[in-house]
Amino acid sequence: MPTPPRIGCSGWNYASWRRTFYPQGLPPSRWLEHYSRVFDTVEVNTTFYRLAKRDSVARWVEQTPDDFMFAVKASRYLTHMKRLTDMGRGVERLYEPLEPLVQSGKLGPVLWQLGPNFRRDDERLARALDCLPPGRHTFEFRDHSWYVPDVYALLRERGVALTVPHRAGSNWPRDVITTDWTFVRFHYGERGRRGNYSKTEIADWAVHLADWVRSELEVFAYFNNDWETFAPPNARELRRRLQALVDVPVAA
Protein backbone atom coordinates (compact mmCIF):
# COMPACT_ATOMS: atom_id res chain seq x y z
CA MET A 1 0.00 0.00 0.00
CA PRO A 2 1.54 3.36 -0.97
CA THR A 3 2.51 5.67 1.88
CA PRO A 4 0.23 8.73 2.07
CA PRO A 5 2.03 11.86 0.84
CA ARG A 6 2.68 14.72 3.23
CA ILE A 7 1.98 18.22 1.91
CA GLY A 8 2.48 21.41 3.90
CA CYS A 9 4.17 24.80 4.07
CA SER A 10 7.64 26.09 4.84
CA GLY A 11 6.95 27.57 8.26
CA TRP A 12 3.84 28.69 10.08
CA ASN A 13 4.82 31.80 12.04
CA TYR A 14 3.98 34.56 9.54
CA ALA A 15 2.24 37.78 10.51
CA SER A 16 0.92 38.07 6.94
CA TRP A 17 -1.22 34.98 7.57
CA ARG A 18 -3.36 36.80 10.14
CA ARG A 19 -7.03 36.83 9.14
CA THR A 20 -6.22 34.92 5.93
CA PHE A 21 -5.11 31.58 7.35
CA TYR A 22 -5.32 32.21 11.09
CA PRO A 23 -8.66 33.27 12.59
CA GLN A 24 -8.89 36.84 13.79
CA GLY A 25 -7.86 37.12 17.43
CA LEU A 26 -5.98 33.82 17.55
CA PRO A 27 -2.72 34.51 19.46
CA PRO A 28 0.59 33.50 17.82
CA SER A 29 1.17 31.02 20.65
CA ARG A 30 -1.66 28.93 19.16
CA TRP A 31 -0.76 29.28 15.50
CA LEU A 32 1.10 25.96 15.30
CA GLU A 33 -1.81 24.18 16.97
CA HIS A 34 -4.17 25.64 14.35
CA TYR A 35 -1.75 24.87 11.51
CA SER A 36 -1.51 21.22 12.61
CA ARG A 37 -5.28 20.83 12.31
CA VAL A 38 -5.00 21.70 8.62
CA PHE A 39 -1.69 20.07 7.61
CA ASP A 40 0.20 17.03 8.89
CA THR A 41 3.70 18.37 8.26
CA VAL A 42 5.70 21.60 8.23
CA GLU A 43 9.17 22.59 7.09
CA VAL A 44 11.07 24.55 9.76
CA ASN A 45 13.24 27.24 8.18
CA THR A 46 14.24 29.21 11.29
CA THR A 47 16.88 26.58 12.05
CA PHE A 48 18.71 27.73 8.90
CA TYR A 49 19.35 31.12 10.53
CA ARG A 50 19.78 30.20 14.19
CA LEU A 51 19.83 27.14 16.41
CA ALA A 52 16.50 26.06 17.81
CA LYS A 53 15.76 26.32 21.54
CA ARG A 54 15.04 23.01 23.21
CA ASP A 55 12.11 24.41 25.23
CA SER A 56 10.52 25.75 22.05
CA VAL A 57 10.98 22.43 20.30
CA ALA A 58 9.37 20.63 23.24
CA ARG A 59 6.36 22.94 22.86
CA TRP A 60 6.16 22.08 19.15
CA VAL A 61 5.83 18.45 20.17
CA GLU A 62 3.13 19.23 22.73
CA GLN A 63 1.10 21.38 20.35
CA THR A 64 0.88 18.91 17.47
CA PRO A 65 -0.83 15.53 16.95
CA ASP A 66 1.11 12.32 17.40
CA ASP A 67 1.41 11.71 13.66
CA PHE A 68 2.58 15.24 12.81
CA MET A 69 6.04 15.55 11.24
CA PHE A 70 8.60 18.36 11.16
CA ALA A 71 11.10 18.69 8.33
CA VAL A 72 14.06 20.78 9.54
CA LYS A 73 16.38 22.94 7.45
CA ALA A 74 20.02 22.57 8.48
CA SER A 75 22.05 25.55 9.65
CA ARG A 76 23.53 27.90 7.03
CA TYR A 77 26.66 27.93 9.21
CA LEU A 78 27.29 24.37 8.02
CA THR A 79 26.09 24.72 4.44
CA HIS A 80 27.01 28.29 3.48
CA MET A 81 29.84 29.33 5.82
CA LYS A 82 31.70 26.11 6.60
CA ARG A 83 30.52 24.70 3.24
CA LEU A 84 30.18 21.14 4.58
CA THR A 85 33.60 21.12 6.29
CA ASP A 86 34.26 20.57 10.00
CA MET A 87 30.81 19.03 10.37
CA GLY A 88 31.21 17.10 13.60
CA ARG A 89 30.52 19.62 16.37
CA GLY A 90 28.27 21.70 14.15
CA VAL A 91 25.97 18.75 13.52
CA GLU A 92 25.87 18.00 17.25
CA ARG A 93 24.86 21.60 18.01
CA LEU A 94 22.13 21.46 15.36
CA TYR A 95 20.66 18.25 16.75
CA GLU A 96 20.95 18.84 20.50
CA PRO A 97 17.88 21.13 20.79
CA LEU A 98 15.97 18.92 18.32
CA GLU A 99 16.08 15.98 20.72
CA PRO A 100 12.35 16.31 21.65
CA LEU A 101 11.49 15.79 17.98
CA VAL A 102 13.75 12.76 17.77
CA GLN A 103 12.36 11.22 20.95
CA SER A 104 8.74 11.81 19.90
CA GLY A 105 9.25 10.40 16.40
CA LYS A 106 8.22 13.73 14.86
CA LEU A 107 11.53 14.56 13.20
CA GLY A 108 11.15 14.07 9.47
CA PRO A 109 13.71 14.82 6.77
CA VAL A 110 16.56 17.23 7.43
CA LEU A 111 17.11 19.57 4.49
CA TRP A 112 20.67 20.55 3.52
CA GLN A 113 20.45 23.47 1.08
CA LEU A 114 23.75 24.50 -0.48
CA GLY A 115 24.49 28.02 -1.62
CA PRO A 116 24.10 29.05 -5.28
CA ASN A 117 27.87 29.60 -5.61
CA PHE A 118 28.77 26.22 -4.08
CA ARG A 119 30.03 24.17 -7.02
CA ARG A 120 30.31 20.42 -7.21
CA ASP A 121 32.85 18.76 -4.93
CA ASP A 122 32.25 15.01 -4.67
CA GLU A 123 34.88 14.37 -2.00
CA ARG A 124 33.55 17.10 0.25
CA LEU A 125 30.00 15.84 -0.20
CA ALA A 126 31.02 12.28 0.63
CA ARG A 127 32.78 13.37 3.82
CA ALA A 128 29.75 15.40 4.84
CA LEU A 129 27.40 12.47 4.23
CA ASP A 130 29.57 10.35 6.53
CA CYS A 131 28.89 12.87 9.33
CA LEU A 132 25.10 12.79 9.10
CA PRO A 133 23.18 11.27 12.03
CA PRO A 134 20.74 8.41 11.45
CA GLY A 135 17.49 9.50 9.86
CA ARG A 136 16.30 11.01 6.62
CA HIS A 137 18.38 13.63 4.85
CA THR A 138 17.86 15.52 1.60
CA PHE A 139 20.22 17.80 -0.32
CA GLU A 140 19.11 20.80 -2.34
CA PHE A 141 21.76 21.87 -4.85
CA ARG A 142 21.52 25.30 -6.42
CA ASP A 143 24.47 25.10 -8.80
CA HIS A 144 23.92 23.02 -11.93
CA SER A 145 27.33 21.35 -11.65
CA TRP A 146 25.89 19.00 -9.01
CA TYR A 147 23.25 17.51 -11.30
CA VAL A 148 25.32 14.65 -12.74
CA PRO A 149 25.09 10.83 -12.49
CA ASP A 150 28.11 10.48 -10.18
CA VAL A 151 26.47 12.71 -7.55
CA TYR A 152 23.17 10.86 -7.90
CA ALA A 153 25.02 7.57 -7.40
CA LEU A 154 26.69 8.90 -4.25
CA LEU A 155 23.34 9.96 -2.79
CA ARG A 156 21.81 6.57 -3.65
CA GLU A 157 24.71 4.77 -2.01
CA ARG A 158 24.16 6.71 1.23
CA GLY A 159 20.34 6.62 1.14
CA VAL A 160 20.02 10.41 0.84
CA ALA A 161 17.30 12.10 -1.22
CA LEU A 162 17.89 14.66 -3.94
CA THR A 163 15.61 17.63 -3.25
CA VAL A 164 13.34 18.63 -6.13
CA PRO A 165 13.30 22.46 -6.07
CA HIS A 166 10.84 24.33 -8.26
CA ARG A 167 10.90 28.03 -9.04
CA ALA A 168 9.79 30.06 -12.03
CA GLY A 169 12.42 30.18 -14.75
CA SER A 170 14.49 27.31 -13.36
CA ASN A 171 15.16 24.00 -15.05
CA TRP A 172 16.20 21.77 -12.16
CA PRO A 173 15.54 18.07 -12.89
CA ARG A 174 12.44 16.75 -11.16
CA ASP A 175 12.60 13.06 -12.04
CA VAL A 176 15.88 12.02 -10.38
CA ILE A 177 15.04 9.73 -7.46
CA THR A 178 17.87 8.53 -5.21
CA THR A 179 15.98 6.77 -2.40
CA ASP A 180 12.49 5.45 -1.61
CA TRP A 181 11.18 8.92 -0.76
CA THR A 182 11.45 12.37 -2.28
CA PHE A 183 11.32 15.97 -1.09
CA VAL A 184 9.76 18.75 -3.20
CA ARG A 185 10.10 22.48 -2.48
CA PHE A 186 7.75 24.85 -4.28
CA HIS A 187 9.37 28.31 -4.35
CA TYR A 188 7.72 30.37 -7.09
CA GLY A 189 4.93 29.47 -9.49
CA GLU A 190 5.46 30.03 -13.18
CA ARG A 191 1.92 30.73 -14.33
CA GLY A 192 0.50 32.53 -11.33
CA ARG A 193 1.36 36.05 -10.23
CA ARG A 194 3.87 37.17 -7.57
CA GLY A 195 4.95 33.63 -6.77
CA ASN A 196 1.47 32.14 -6.64
CA TYR A 197 0.88 28.78 -8.37
CA SER A 198 -2.02 28.69 -10.82
CA LYS A 199 -4.61 25.91 -10.56
CA THR A 200 -3.41 24.54 -13.90
CA GLU A 201 0.16 24.39 -12.66
CA ILE A 202 -0.88 22.67 -9.44
CA ALA A 203 -2.97 20.19 -11.43
CA ASP A 204 0.12 19.30 -13.50
CA TRP A 205 2.17 18.75 -10.36
CA ALA A 206 -0.60 16.65 -8.82
CA VAL A 207 -0.42 14.26 -11.75
CA HIS A 208 3.35 14.04 -11.34
CA LEU A 209 3.14 13.40 -7.59
CA ALA A 210 0.35 10.86 -8.10
CA ASP A 211 2.64 8.81 -10.35
CA TRP A 212 5.26 8.81 -7.60
CA VAL A 213 2.75 7.76 -4.95
CA ARG A 214 1.43 4.92 -7.12
CA SER A 215 5.00 3.67 -7.52
CA GLU A 216 5.21 3.53 -3.69
CA LEU A 217 7.52 6.51 -3.43
CA GLU A 218 6.94 8.46 -0.21
CA VAL A 219 6.44 12.15 -0.97
CA PHE A 220 7.13 15.24 1.17
CA ALA A 221 6.12 18.54 -0.47
CA TYR A 222 6.26 22.09 0.90
CA PHE A 223 5.27 25.51 -0.39
CA ASN A 224 7.40 28.43 0.77
CA ASN A 225 5.74 31.23 -1.26
CA ASP A 226 4.44 32.61 2.01
CA TRP A 227 4.79 36.40 1.66
CA GLU A 228 1.22 36.95 0.39
CA THR A 229 -0.25 33.87 2.07
CA PHE A 230 -0.08 31.87 -1.15
CA ALA A 231 1.47 28.83 0.54
CA PRO A 232 -1.56 27.51 2.50
CA PRO A 233 -4.11 27.68 -0.36
CA ASN A 234 -1.57 26.30 -2.84
CA ALA A 235 -0.80 23.38 -0.50
CA ARG A 236 -4.51 22.73 0.04
CA GLU A 237 -5.18 22.80 -3.71
CA LEU A 238 -2.36 20.34 -4.41
CA ARG A 239 -3.66 18.06 -1.68
CA ARG A 240 -7.23 18.25 -3.01
CA ARG A 241 -6.16 17.37 -6.54
CA LEU A 242 -3.90 14.58 -5.34
CA GLN A 243 -6.75 13.07 -3.33
CA ALA A 244 -8.79 12.84 -6.54
CA LEU A 245 -6.00 10.93 -8.29
CA VAL A 246 -4.65 8.39 -5.81
CA ASP A 247 -6.34 5.85 -3.57
CA VAL A 248 -4.50 6.71 -0.37
CA PRO A 249 -5.57 8.96 2.50
CA VAL A 250 -4.18 12.50 2.38
CA ALA A 251 -4.43 14.66 5.51
CA ALA A 252 -7.65 16.69 5.41
Coordinates of all heavy atoms in Angstrom, one line a residue, residues 151-196:
V151 N 27.0 12.2 -8.8 CA 26.5 12.7 -7.6 C 25.2 11.9 -7.2 O 25.0 11.6 -6.0 CB 26.2 14.2 -7.7 CG1 25.4 14.7 -6.5 CG2 27.5 15.0 -7.8
Y152 N 24.4 11.6 -8.2 CA 23.2 10.9 -7.9 C 23.5 9.5 -7.3 O 22.9 9.0 -6.4 CB 22.4 10.6 -9.2 CG 22.0 11.9 -9.9 CD1 21.7 11.8 -11.3 CD2 21.9 13.1 -9.3 CE1 21.4 12.9 -12.0 CE2 21.5 14.3 -10.0 CZ 21.3 14.2 -11.4 OH 20.9 15.3 -12.1
A153 N 24.6 8.9 -7.9 CA 25.0 7.6 -7.4 C 25.5 7.6 -6.0 O 25.2 6.7 -5.1 CB 26.1 7.0 -8.3
L154 N 26.2 8.7 -5.6 CA 26.7 8.9 -4.2 C 25.5 9.0 -3.3 O 25.5 8.4 -2.2 CB 27.6 10.1 -4.2 CG 28.2 10.5 -2.8 CD1 29.0 9.3 -2.3 CD2 29.1 11.7 -2.9
L155 N 24.5 9.8 -3.6 CA 23.3 10.0 -2.8 C 22.6 8.6 -2.6 O 22.2 8.3 -1.5 CB 22.4 11.0 -3.4 CG 22.9 12.5 -3.4 CD1 21.9 13.4 -4.1 CD2 23.3 13.0 -2.0
R156 N 22.5 7.9 -3.7 CA 21.8 6.6 -3.6 C 22.6 5.6 -2.7 O 22.0 4.9 -1.9 CB 21.7 5.9 -5.0 CG 20.7 6.6 -6.0 CD 20.4 5.8 -7.2 NE 19.6 6.5 -8.1 CZ 19.9 7.2 -9.2 NH1 21.2 7.3 -9.5 NH2 19.1 7.8 -9.9
E157 N 23.9 5.6 -2.8 CA 24.7 4.8 -2.0 C 24.5 5.1 -0.5 O 24.5 4.1 0.3 CB 26.2 5.0 -2.4 CG 27.2 4.2 -1.6 CD 28.6 4.5 -1.9 OE1 28.9 4.5 -3.1 OE2 29.4 4.8 -1.0
R158 N 24.3 6.3 -0.2 CA 24.2 6.7 1.2 C 22.7 6.8 1.7 O 22.4 7.2 2.8 CB 24.8 8.1 1.5 CG 26.3 8.1 1.0 CD 27.2 7.1 1.6 NE 28.5 7.1 1.0 CZ 29.5 7.9 1.5 NH1 29.3 8.7 2.5 NH2 30.7 7.8 0.9
G159 N 21.8 6.6 0.8 CA 20.3 6.6 1.1 C 19.8 8.0 1.4 O 19.0 8.2 2.3
V160 N 20.4 9.0 0.7 CA 20.0 10.4 0.8 C 19.2 10.9 -0.4 O 19.5 10.5 -1.5 CB 21.3 11.3 1.0 CG1 21.0 12.8 1.0 CG2 22.0 10.9 2.3
A161 N 18.2 11.7 -0.1 CA 17.3 12.1 -1.2 C 17.9 13.3 -1.9 O 18.5 14.2 -1.3 CB 15.9 12.4 -0.7
L162 N 17.6 13.4 -3.2 CA 17.9 14.7 -3.9 C 16.6 15.5 -3.9 O 15.6 15.1 -4.4 CB 18.3 14.3 -5.4 CG 18.5 15.5 -6.3 CD1 19.7 16.3 -5.9 CD2 18.5 15.1 -7.8
T163 N 16.8 16.7 -3.3 CA 15.6 17.6 -3.3 C 15.2 18.0 -4.7 O 16.0 18.3 -5.5 CB 16.0 18.9 -2.4 OG1 16.4 18.5 -1.1 CG2 14.8 19.9 -2.4
V164 N 13.9 18.1 -4.9 CA 13.3 18.6 -6.1 C 12.9 20.1 -5.9 O 11.8 20.3 -5.3 CB 12.2 17.8 -6.6 CG1 11.6 18.3 -7.9 CG2 12.6 16.3 -6.8
P165 N 13.7 21.1 -6.3 CA 13.3 22.5 -6.1 C 12.6 23.0 -7.3 O 13.0 22.7 -8.4 CB 14.6 23.2 -5.9 CG 15.6 22.4 -6.6 CD 15.1 21.0 -6.8
H166 N 11.5 23.7 -7.1 CA 10.8 24.3 -8.3 C 10.7 25.8 -8.1 O 10.2 26.3 -7.0 CB 9.5 23.7 -8.5 CG 8.7 24.4 -9.6 ND1 7.9 25.5 -9.5 CD2 8.8 24.1 -11.0 CE1 7.4 25.8 -10.7 NE2 8.0 25.1 -11.6
R167 N 11.1 26.6 -9.0 CA 10.9 28.0 -9.0 C 10.8 28.5 -10.5 O 11.3 27.9 -11.4 CB 12.0 28.8 -8.3 CG 13.4 28.7 -9.0 CD 14.4 29.6 -8.2 NE 14.7 29.0 -6.9 CZ 14.6 29.6 -5.8 NH1 14.2 30.9 -5.7 NH2 15.0 29.1 -4.6
A168 N 10.0 29.5 -10.7 CA 9.8 30.1 -12.0 C 11.1 30.4 -12.7 O 12.0 31.0 -12.1 CB 8.9 31.3 -12.0
G169 N 11.2 29.9 -14.0 CA 12.4 30.2 -14.7 C 13.6 29.2 -14.5 O 14.6 29.3 -15.2
S170 N 13.4 28.3 -13.6 CA 14.5 27.3 -13.4 C 14.3 26.1 -14.2 O 13.2 25.8 -14.6 CB 14.6 27.0 -11.9 OG 13.4 26.2 -11.5
N171 N 15.3 25.3 -14.3 CA 15.2 24.0 -15.0 C 15.8 22.9 -14.3 O 16.5 22.0 -14.9 CB 15.7 24.1 -16.5 CG 17.2 24.5 -16.5 OD1 17.7 24.9 -15.5 ND2 17.9 24.3 -17.6
W172 N 15.6 22.9 -13.0 CA 16.2 21.8 -12.2 C 15.5 20.5 -12.5 O 14.3 20.5 -12.8 CB 16.0 22.0 -10.7 CG 16.4 23.4 -10.2 CD1 15.7 24.4 -9.8 CD2 17.8 23.9 -10.2 NE1 16.4 25.5 -9.4 CE2 17.7 25.2 -9.7 CE3 19.0 23.4 -10.5 CZ2 18.8 26.0 -9.5 CZ3 20.2 24.1 -10.3 CH2 20.1 25.4 -9.8
P173 N 16.2 19.3 -12.6 CA 15.5 18.1 -12.9 C 14.6 17.7 -11.8 O 14.8 17.9 -10.6 CB 16.7 17.1 -13.0 CG 17.8 17.7 -12.2 CD 17.7 19.2 -12.4
R174 N 13.4 17.1 -12.2 CA 12.4 16.7 -11.2 C 12.1 15.3 -11.2 O 11.2 14.8 -10.5 CB 11.2 17.6 -11.3 CG 10.4 17.3 -12.6 CD 9.1 18.2 -12.6 NE 8.1 17.7 -13.6 CZ 6.9 18.3 -13.7 NH1 6.6 19.3 -13.0 NH2 6.1 17.9 -14.7
D175 N 12.9 14.5 -11.9 CA 12.6 13.1 -12.0 C 13.8 12.2 -11.6 O 13.8 11.0 -11.8 CB 12.2 12.7 -13.5 CG 10.9 13.3 -13.9 OD1 9.9 13.1 -13.2 OD2 10.9 14.0 -15.0
V176 N 14.7 12.8 -10.9 CA 15.9 12.0 -10.4 C 15.5 11.6 -8.9 O 15.4 12.4 -8.0 CB 17.2 12.8 -10.4 CG1 18.3 12.0 -9.8 CG2 17.5 13.3 -11.8
I177 N 15.4 10.3 -8.8 CA 15.0 9.7 -7.5 C 16.2 8.9 -6.9 O 16.7 8.0 -7.6 CB 13.8 8.8 -7.6 CG1 12.6 9.6 -8.2 CG2 13.4 8.3 -6.2 CD1 12.2 10.8 -7.3
T178 N 16.7 9.2 -5.7 CA 17.9 8.5 -5.2 C 17.6 7.7 -4.0 O 18.5 7.0 -3.5 CB 18.9 9.6 -4.8 OG1 18.4 10.5 -3.9 CG2 19.4 10.4 -6.1
T179 N 16.3 7.6 -3.5 CA 16.0 6.8 -2.4 C 14.5 6.5 -2.5 O 13.9 6.8 -3.5 CB 16.3 7.4 -1.0 OG1 16.1 6.5 0.0 CG2 15.6 8.7 -0.8
D180 N 13.9 5.9 -1.5 CA 12.5 5.5 -1.6 C 11.5 6.5 -1.1 O 10.4 6.3 -0.9 CB 12.2 4.1 -0.8 CG 12.6 4.3 0.7 OD1 13.1 5.3 1.1 OD2 12.4 3.3 1.4
W181 N 12.0 7.8 -1.1 CA 11.2 8.9 -0.8 C 11.8 10.1 -1.5 O 12.9 10.1 -1.9 CB 11.1 9.2 0.8 CG 12.4 9.4 1.4 CD1 13.3 8.5 1.8 CD2 13.0 10.7 1.8 NE1 14.4 9.1 2.4 CE2 14.2 10.4 2.4 CE3 12.6 12.0 1.6 CZ2 15.1 11.4 2.8 CZ3 13.4 13.0 2.1 CH2 14.6 12.7 2.7
T182 N 11.0 11.2 -1.6 CA 11.5 12.4 -2.3 C 10.9 13.6 -1.6 O 10.0 13.5 -0.8 CB 11.1 12.4 -3.8 OG1 11.8 13.4 -4.4 CG2 9.6 12.6 -3.9
F183 N 11.6 14.7 -1.8 CA 11.3 16.0 -1.1 C 11.2 17.1 -2.1 O 12.2 17.4 -2.8 CB 12.5 16.2 -0.1 CG 12.3 17.3 0.9 CD1 11.8 16.9 2.2 CD2 12.5 18.6 0.7 CE1 11.6 17.9 3.2 CE2 12.3 19.6 1.7 CZ 11.9 19.2 2.9
V184 N 10.0 17.7 -2.2 CA 9.8 18.7 -3.2 C 9.6 20.1 -2.5 O 8.8 20.2 -1.5 CB 8.5 18.4 -4.0 CG1 8.3 19.4 -5.2 CG2 8.6 17.0 -4.6
R185 N 10.2 21.1 -3.0 CA 10.1 22.5 -2.5 C 9.6 23.4 -3.6 O 10.2 23.6 -4.6 CB 11.4 23.0 -2.0 CG 12.1 22.1 -0.9 CD 13.3 22.8 -0.3 NE 12.9 23.8 0.7 CZ 13.4 25.0 0.9 NH1 14.4 25.4 0.1 NH2 13.0 25.8 1.8
F186 N 8.4 23.9 -3.3 CA 7.8 24.9 -4.3 C 8.1 26.3 -3.9 O 7.6 26.8 -2.9 CB 6.2 24.6 -4.3 CG 5.8 23.3 -4.9 CD1 5.4 22.3 -4.0 CD2 5.8 23.1 -6.2 CE1 5.1 21.0 -4.5 CE2 5.5 21.8 -6.7 CZ 5.1 20.8 -5.9
H187 N 8.9 27.0 -4.7 CA 9.4 28.3 -4.3 C 8.5 29.4 -5.0 O 8.0 30.2 -4.4 CB 10.8 28.5 -4.8 CG 11.8 27.6 -4.0 ND1 12.2 27.9 -2.7 CD2 12.5 26.5 -4.4 CE1 13.1 27.0 -2.4 NE2 13.2 26.1 -3.3
Y188 N 8.4 29.3 -6.3 CA 7.7 30.4 -7.1 C 7.0 29.7 -8.2 O 7.6 29.0 -9.1 CB 8.7 31.4 -7.7 CG 9.6 32.1 -6.7 CD1 10.9 31.7 -6.6 CD2 9.2 33.1 -5.9 CE1 11.8 32.3 -5.7 CE2 10.0 33.8 -5.0 CZ 11.3 33.3 -4.9 OH 12.2 33.9 -4.0
G189 N 5.7 30.0 -8.4 CA 4.9 29.5 -9.5 C 5.3 30.2 -10.8 O 5.8 31.3 -10.8
E190 N 5.1 29.5 -11.9 CA 5.5 30.0 -13.2 C 4.3 30.7 -13.9 O 4.5 31.7 -14.6 CB 6.0 28.9 -14.1 CG 7.3 28.3 -13.6 CD 7.9 27.3 -14.5 OE1 7.9 27.6 -15.8 OE2 8.3 26.2 -14.1
R191 N 3.1 30.2 -13.6 CA 1.9 30.7 -14.3 C 1.1 31.7 -13.5 O 0.2 32.4 -14.0 CB 1.1 29.6 -14.9 CG 1.8 28.6 -15.7 CD 1.0 27.4 -16.1 NE 1.9 26.3 -16.5 CZ 1.5 25.0 -16.6 NH1 0.2 24.7 -16.4 NH2 2.3 24.1 -16.9
G192 N 1.2 31.6 -12.2 CA 0.5 32.5 -11.3 C 1.2 33.9 -11.2 O 2.3 34.1 -11.9
R193 N 0.7 34.7 -10.4 CA 1.4 36.0 -10.2 C 2.0 36.2 -8.9 O 1.5 35.6 -7.9 CB 0.3 37.2 -10.4 CG -0.3 37.3 -11.8 CD -1.3 38.4 -11.9 NE -1.8 38.6 -13.2 CZ -2.7 39.5 -13.5 NH1 -3.1 40.4 -12.6 NH2 -3.1 39.6 -14.8
R194 N 3.2 36.9 -8.8 CA 3.9 37.2 -7.6 C 4.2 35.9 -6.8 O 4.2 35.9 -5.5 CB 3.0 38.1 -6.7 CG 2.7 39.4 -7.5 CD 2.0 40.4 -6.5 NE 0.9 39.9 -5.8 CZ -0.3 39.8 -6.3 NH1 -0.6 40.2 -7.5 NH2 -1.3 39.3 -5.6
G195 N 4.6 34.8 -7.5 CA 5.0 33.6 -6.8 C 3.8 32.6 -6.6 O 4.1 31.5 -6.2
N196 N 2.6 33.0 -6.8 CA 1.5 32.1 -6.6 C 1.5 31.0 -7.7 O 2.1 31.3 -8.8 CB 0.2 32.9 -6.8 CG -1.0 32.1 -6.4 OD1 -0.9 31.2 -5.6 ND2 -2.2 32.5 -6.8

